[in-house]
Amino acid sequence: MRFGRTSKAVGVAAIAALALSACASTDSGDGNSDPDASGDTGASSGGVVSVAEVNPFTSFNSDSATGNVDINGKVSYLTKSGFNYINDQLEVVPREEFGSYEVVSEDPLTVTYTVNEGVAWSDGEPIDGGDLLFSWAVSSGYFDDADAEAETGSTYFAAASTAGLDLSLLPELGEDGRSITIEYTEPYADWEIAYGVIDTPAHVVATQAGLADEAALIELIQNTPEGDPENPQERPDLQPVADIWNTAFDTTTLPDDPAMYLSSGPYIVDSMTPDQSMTLVKNEDYNWGPETQLDEITIRYIGDATAQVQGLQNGDVDVIQPQASADTLASLEAIDGVNIFEGDELSFDHIDLNYSGVFEDENVRKAFMMTIPRDAIVASTIAQLDPEADHRNSNIFDVGTPGYEAAVPVNGSEAYDEVDIEGAKELLDGATPEVRIMYSVDNPNRVDAYTLIAESAEQAGFQVVDGGLPGNEWGSALGTGTYDATIFGWVSTGVGVTGVPQLYGCGSASNFSGFCDDEAQEAMDQLIVTTDEAEQQELQTIVDTRLFETGYGLPLFQSIGINAASDSIEGVGFSPTQEGIWWNFWEWTVAE
């Protein structure tokens, strides 16, 4: 499940904004889609649709740090259920057929989450309070007692985000067996979106880890003491559970054991061809959400935009989400029988520098940042679609939002508006540091960015090493220490604020660079307990400023999305969210 709606790493040019914003889009419908209203579309139910995605699938656990990649989250959206979803207008829409959540006390903030009776995994086991409790345990960091400075203790579950849940006490299981009640020790800004999708079945993790059943896992969670970094202790019974959750669901092939890819949503994965495709079929037992029309969906992994367009033209695929470029748009406009969807995405490309190794020295980080030719990168990528596009000057706020306009004049980004080779040389003082840059070689925008950065940095004396990896490898390499800098992107849901500490909080599993700053951390600690939007903006600006001041790296550009679909597929519409074009897949139909 996604506590706080985790931002997703993406190998495509779409990257995410971490603050609420309303992004413009075209041909996206009225934004008020009712998932429980089937309506008469004039199209036939059933049918098969093939969709092209840039990145190959790598994990059935999209909430883990290694599985937190956009394509894994999209498959989870198709195959898993939760208490709500986010529509194309960035509104949180409850899924009342799945369950309910209710604030039972405002002081202290206390929320009860209840799964409806009859909601089940595809093996027939009910989704219940045990699943909710385990998801809380995974994403709360409750048991962690690691002290990075002292190099003592342990971090158990490598969750993509734990932001905010350390404010809660051990939840209470309801007598109905289908609910938990969480009492927060402080207000929690993003409580409503705490349970988005429940990704991993508790009963499967329990037995895979050697426990008797889910009840044994519940007992283990309830009886294991809370982590205390000042007094760390071993938890040998918990470690096998964490090991299973962290990596056992990572795969590029269909597991032999169906328990490792259970569904609780409209579709079930039926087959997988490594690095090529995945086929999903209708979950005939699913009746706790919108009724889907399609019998089968095939996802084809096609990284090259030209190949995606060609596939659409030839009828090999019905829906595509290629990397946006002027050439791609022109090619699509030349095809008959195709609907094109354009809009701003909740995403941004960036280059991050590790706070270790060659970049442990702040002056070396800043010198490297001085060499990054952001205007040239923009010119070779999104400026082809929007001649007015500029490089992005915030790691936190979307371009054009009030937060962005307020932060940019004060966050220190102006120091890197222009390339300054002489200034970089002065900071290096004759040194010639070797820098390995990791990126996806299957992403043309990332290749262009790497090439331009390498050429510029070498003029200042840096020795740049090409650390590019294939599209199915770069995500799992994040945070491994095998590179000095990395070019990639973030995509968020566009709601809430816990994405900020997820990416930049000290010790967060998604903080791959190792950034840890006392002033920024204090602001993030306040942010997640602040509900006033003006105060949230001020706190996020503090974090944004410290990222520039300490040499974190640079945001490059905000992404533009171009999607297209055959006009034989009805109901498709653009969304800026991390689910992208999938956001309303239950409305898709094949025209007669």
Side-chain angles (χ1 to χ4, degrees):
M1 69 178 299
R2 299 181 199 128
F3 271 107
R5 298 280 185 176
T6 60
S7 298
K8 297 288 182 186
V10 294
V12 289
I15 321 304
L18 301 175
L20 266 172
S21 65
C23 292
S25 62
T26 61
D27 298 317
S28 59
D30 61 11
N32 297 309
S33 169
D34 180 0
D36 298 316
S38 57
D40 182 5
T41 65
S44 61
S45 62
V48 177
V49 166
S50 180
V51 182
E53 282 281 352
V54 172
N55 293 320
F57 179 85
T58 61
S59 181
F60 285 101
N61 183 3
S62 67
D63 290 330
S64 70
T66 56
N68 184 37
V69 179
D70 62 335
I71 180 61
N72 300 336
K74 291 173 180 177
V75 172
S76 177
Y77 190 65
L78 292 165
T79 61
K80 306 293 172 61
S81 297
F83 288 96
N84 51 48
Y85 75 100
I86 297 170
N87 68 13
D88 62 338
Q89 300 300 302
L90 305 184
E91 299 166 331
V92 178
V93 182
R95 292 198 183 277
E96 296 179 354
E97 289 185 319
F98 176 85
S100 61
Y101 45 92
E102 177 186 9
V103 175
V104 295
S105 170
E106 294 188 356
D107 188 16
L109 176 63
T110 307
V111 184
T112 296
Y113 300 88
T114 304
V115 181
N116 291 342
E117 190 171 358
V119 176
W121 298 101
S122 52
D123 64 354
E125 289 294 316
I127 298 178
D128 54 21
D131 291 296
L132 302 181
L133 180 65
F134 177 61
S135 293
W136 171 87
V138 162
S139 298
S140 66
Y142 180 81
F143 300 110
D144 295 342
D145 51 21
D147 185 325
E149 293 186 4
E151 296 183 350
T152 58
S154 301
T155 297
Y156 291 91
F157 298 99
S161 175
T162 60
L165 293 175
D166 54 348
L167 305 176
S168 57
L169 306 173
L170 183 70
E172 178 182 345
L173 275 174
E175 293 183 0
D176 57 11
R178 294 180 285 102
S179 64
I180 64 169
T181 297
I182 298 180
E183 180 180 317
Y184 293 92
T185 57
E186 297 182 64
Y188 180 36
D190 290 352
W191 69 267
E192 185 177 6
I193 56 174
Y195 283 93
V197 174
I198 301 172
D199 235 12
T200 49
H203 68 285
V204 171
V205 174
T207 55
Q208 292 288 326
L211 298 176
D213 50 26
E214 183 179 309
L217 177 57
I218 292 173
E219 184 178 355
L220 175 63
I221 293 171
Q222 293 175 328
N223 294 332
T224 299
E226 182 179 4
D228 180 3
E230 296 183 1
N231 184 32
Q233 57 183 285
E234 293 185 1
R235 296 173 174 80
D237 294 334
L238 186 65
Q239 191 61 60
V241 176
D243 291 343
I244 290 296
W245 189 87
N246 289 339
T247 61
F249 294 93
D250 295 349
T251 182
T252 58
T253 61
L254 191 68
D256 293 332
D257 184 356
M260 302 307 293
Y261 58 96
L262 294 182
S263 169
S264 64
Y267 290 96
I268 301 174
V269 176
D270 182 66
S271 63
M272 296 170 61
T273 301
D275 300 325
Q276 293 186 34
S277 67
M278 165 187 287
T279 297
L280 304 96
V281 297
K282 213 172 198 181
N283 180 359
E284 299 297 342
D285 296 325
Y286 175 79
N287 62 3
W288 45 87
E291 180 180 357
T292 57
Q293 307 302 311
L294 303 175
D295 293 326
E296 184 179 298
I297 296 174
T298 294
I299 301 174
R300 302 191 186 281
Y301 318 138
I302 306 174
D304 181 72
T306 301
Q308 283 203 20
V309 174
Q310 189 66 47
L312 181 64
Q313 185 173 20
N314 295 342
D316 295 330
V317 292
D318 305 297
V319 181
I320 65 172
Q321 303 176 86
Q323 181 167 281
S325 72
D327 289 342
T328 298
L329 181 59
S331 297
L332 287 171
E333 289 175 338
I335 303 174
D336 293 331
V338 167
N339 294 320
I340 302 171
F341 310 93
E342 296 181 69
D344 295 330
E345 294 184 322
L346 289 179
S347 58
F348 71 100
D349 266 31
H350 51 98
I351 180 168
D352 300 348
L353 313 182
N354 290 350
Y355 283 64
S356 60
V358 66
F359 284 134
E360 186 174 1
D361 186 329
E362 182 177 311
N363 281 338
V364 178
R365 294 198 300 272
K366 290 184 175 180
F368 191 81
M369 289 164 61
M370 288 179 177
T371 71
I372 297 174
R374 294 194 290 164
D375 287 339
I377 292 170
V378 168
S380 70
T381 55
I382 62 168
Q384 300 174 44
L385 285 168
D386 180 6
E388 302 300 318
D390 196 0
H391 60 253
R392 175 168 160 150
N393 276 326
S394 172
N395 284 295
I396 306 294
F397 299 102
D398 274 335
V399 175
T401 63
Y404 186 88
E405 300 302 327
V408 170
V410 299
N411 66 7
S413 60
E414 74 281 354
Y416 306 101
D417 277 343
E418 304 290 339
V419 171
D420 185 0
I421 300 298
E422 294 306 313
K425 287 181 178 179
E426 184 176 342
L427 284 178
L428 290 178
D429 193 24
T432 57
E434 181 178 286
V435 176
R436 177 178 292 274
I437 303 178
M438 191 266 284
Y439 61 98
S440 171
V441 298
D442 295 327
N443 184 301
N445 280 357
R446 305 286 158 72
V447 173
D448 285 351
Y450 165 77
T451 302
L452 291 166
I453 290 170
E455 290 174 352
S456 183
E458 286 172 352
Q459 295 178 39
F462 286 98
Q463 301 177 59
V464 179
V465 178
D466 189 338
L469 295 174
N472 63 345
E473 296 181 16
W474 71 269
S476 60
L478 289 170
T480 59
T482 56
Y483 56 86
D484 303 300
T486 180
I487 305 168
F488 72 112
W490 285 114
V491 56
S492 81
T493 59
V495 299
V497 296
T498 47
V500 179
Q502 177 201 341
L503 302 188
Y504 310 115
C506 294
S508 170
S510 295
N511 179 357
F512 301 118
S513 70
F515 168 80
C516 186
D517 179 78
D518 290 342
E519 184 179 349
Q521 188 61 50
E522 182 179 353
M524 287 184 279
D525 290 343
Q526 295 179 45
L527 177 64
I528 59 177
V529 299
T530 299
T531 56
D532 181 82
E533 291 186 10
E535 291 182 24
Q536 287 179 346
Q537 180 175 303
E538 292 175 2
L539 292 166
Q540 290 176 96
T541 300
I542 292 173
V543 180
D544 206 21
T545 301
R546 291 303 293 159
L547 290 169
F548 285 105
E549 289 178 342
T550 64
Y552 177 84
L554 289 178
L556 301 177
F557 57 82
Q558 188 147 338
S559 300
I560 298 171
I562 296 177
N563 304 326
S566 165
D567 60 9
S568 64
I569 311 301
E570 299 183 355
V572 177
F574 182 87
S575 171
T577 64
Q578 62 184 210
E579 282 78 25
I581 206 164
W582 296 102
W583 80 273
N584 67 336
F585 66 88
W586 54 85
E587 295 184 344
W588 295 8
T589 56
V590 179
E592 294 180 339

